[in-house]
Amino acid sequence: PATLLSEAGEVLAQVDSGLLSPVLNQAIAMAYLPLAFSSVGTIVYAQVRDKKVAMQVCATPFVPHRYHRALA
């Protein structure tokens, strides 16, 4: 799993789950971040094959659902 880093290079967390989203056509990942870095819009960096890749914290679901629940 990839390691998540702050801009200063401090280790924040490990990616729990990550993959290439066929709908978004980009990589997505989930991780438990420290509270100080968990605000939506915060930029963190993933260490992937000796490169720092910028990632942005966003809310879930990554893709909005398109179904409608009928009222019971």
Side-chain angles (χ1 to χ4, degrees):
T3 301
L4 295 178
L5 308 167
S6 68
E7 191 169 357
E10 172 189 3
V11 174
L12 301 175
Q14 294 280 359
V15 170
D16 294 322
S17 177
L19 53 97
L20 180 65
S21 169
V23 175
L24 298 174
N25 198 29
Q26 66 182 22
I28 59 174
M30 293 179 66
Y32 290 102
L33 289 170
L35 194 56
F37 293 91
S38 64
S39 298
V40 172
T42 302
I43 301 297
V44 295
Y45 297 88
Q47 186 75 33
V48 180
R49 296 185 193 101
D50 297 326
K51 288 191 253 180
K52 278 175 67 173
V53 178
M55 303 185 85
Q56 183 177 10
V57 175
C58 65
T60 56
F62 299 118
V63 178
H65 55 78
R66 294 188 180 131
Y67 61 86
H68 174 73
R69 291 185 188 210
L71 297 175

